[in-house]
Amino acid sequence: MKLITCLYGGEERVGLLAAGGTLEKPAAEVVLLPYPDMNALIEAAAANPKVLDQLGEYYYIQGVPLGDVTLLAPIPRPRQDVICLGMNYQDHAKEAAQYDAEAFTKDKPAAVYFSKRVSRAGDPDGVIPSYKGLVKRLDYEAELAVIIGRTARDVKAEEAGDYVFGYTVLNDVSARDIQTGHKQWYFGKSLDGFTPLGPCILTADREAFPPALEISCKVNGEERQRSNTARLIHSIPEVIAELSAGMTLLPGTIIATGTPAGVGMGLDPPEFLKYGDVVECCIEGIGTLRSTVR
């Protein structure tokens, strides 16, 4: 099923896309659910696994037209920093090293982890701030985001799928000049508005685990990135097992799994985002996350 967060009647609501509907058809219906926010729904499902099965009953309740709601990030206010993987597609690792060998060359085969501070996730059809005067090299990164569904600690890789609530699209917006200038990635990836998320959460029961989904990104209609999430260097089961061996992953934790080749810094010559550019990050089965640089 596809779950959304939206504005309806001036209130933030959690919704379920009615059976057979798609986010590309405004005539589709959204059934509004009795949860204050998506984090509350995820926690309810963690406490009672039957909750998601019970949501299927809402398919038979009359909803409101999708065109009558405004889509928000499915988890507008993540409870913790987003955990991210760097250079988790081989082709992107190569282009990053070519752009700045000192900043991006990996000395060991181990996964590269970092975090993004997110006070408020960017909405579908929302805005990426350009930060004129602060950022000169604004870049995009289309990524599959994994949402943890229940408390995970010391999880075995073969059991990792049992801990996944669902998936969404994340644009890991990056200020390359800040990222490389500070010799670490936190500040350059954590400016307000640098984590667009959405347009929905595809629940894990709708995909085989780990998911093998087409992922792409367009800038002003020109395709820049295309790959498949099956090409991750460090797989989702591996990542969940490794992280949970040393930290507790709480329900609602978001893990961004990395981006494929084709980001702005990887082009020859590099081509960074500018005011007015439209970025469309798309993942098969989930939808398109569209953002405009302002």
Side-chain angles (χ1 to χ4, degrees):
M1 64 188 69
K2 291 184 176 180
L3 300 170
I4 66 168
T5 297
C6 62
L7 278 179
Y8 179 71
E11 296 184 3
E12 185 176 306
R13 301 291 300 270
V14 175
L16 167 67
L17 193 65
T22 71
L23 291 166
E24 288 71 38
K25 294 182 180 179
E29 288 193 341
V30 174
V31 179
L32 301 176
L33 303 175
Y35 295 93
D37 57 35
M38 191 67 72
N39 281 320
L41 171 54
I42 294 171
E43 289 198 342
N48 179 6
K50 294 183 179 180
V51 164
L52 286 182
D53 293 333
Q54 293 167 352
L55 289 184
E57 299 174 5
Y58 286 93
Y59 281 138
Y60 305 100
I61 298 176
Q62 185 174 4
V64 301
L66 179 61
D68 288 353
V69 307
T70 300
L71 288 179
L72 304 177
I75 303 179
R77 291 165 292 279
R79 289 177 171 170
Q80 297 176 301
D81 285 5
V82 174
I83 301 171
C84 304
L85 278 94
M87 299 178 288
N88 202 27
Y89 289 80
Q90 192 63 51
D91 53 3
H92 176 59
K94 182 179 179 180
E95 71 176 359
Q98 290 175 340
Y99 175 75
D100 190 325
E102 181 183 357
F104 294 107
T105 297
K106 289 178 65 175
D107 296 326
K108 299 179 180 180
V112 174
Y113 296 111
F114 62 95
S115 65
K116 287 176 75 81
R117 187 172 185 83
V118 187
S119 58
R120 176 65 166 80
D123 299 326
D125 291 311
V127 167
I128 296 172
S130 57
Y131 288 102
K132 184 179 180 180
L134 176 63
V135 177
K136 296 180 180 178
R137 300 176 183 175
L138 185 65
D139 213 345
Y140 54 88
E141 294 188 7
E143 306 199 10
L144 174 71
V146 177
I147 300 164
I148 297 298
R150 59 192 180 100
T151 301
R153 185 65 198 266
D154 294 322
V155 175
K156 297 178 181 179
E158 59 268 27
E159 298 173 353
D162 296 336
Y163 291 81
V164 176
F165 179 82
Y167 310 97
T168 191
V169 186
L170 183 147
N171 185 351
D172 178 16
V173 180
S174 306
R176 300 298 187 195
D177 44 340
I178 296 177
Q179 180 184 9
T180 58
H182 282 271
K183 308 300 180 185
Q184 52 77 33
W185 300 359
Y186 189 72
F187 183 33
K189 288 176 172 281
S190 296
L191 302 186
D192 290 346
F194 271 23
T195 311
L197 200 65
C200 69
I201 294 174
L202 178 69
T203 54
D205 61 324
R206 298 297 171 168
E207 283 296 328
F209 183 81
L213 304 172
E214 288 293 307
I215 179 171
S216 63
C217 180
K218 294 180 180 179
V219 177
N220 300 327
E222 175 193 2
E223 186 170 283
R224 298 280 185 86
Q225 296 181 282
R226 178 165 292 276
S227 190
N228 190 287
T229 60
R231 298 175 185 165
L232 295 174
I233 297 173
H234 302 283
S235 69
I236 295 169
E238 175 189 345
V239 167
I240 292 175
E242 183 169 60
L243 290 174
S244 69
M247 66 173 70
T248 301
L249 305 179
L250 299 176
T253 296
I254 301 171
I255 302 173
T257 57
T259 198
V263 299
M265 72 173 180
L267 302 179
D268 186 16
E271 189 169 342
F272 296 106
L273 297 174
K274 59 185 182 301
Y275 189 93
D277 282 351
V278 177
V279 184
E280 296 173 289
C281 301
C282 182
I283 297 181
E284 175 188 3
I286 302 175
T288 300
L289 173 64
R290 184 179 296 102
S291 307
T292 303
V293 179
R294 293 296 186 203

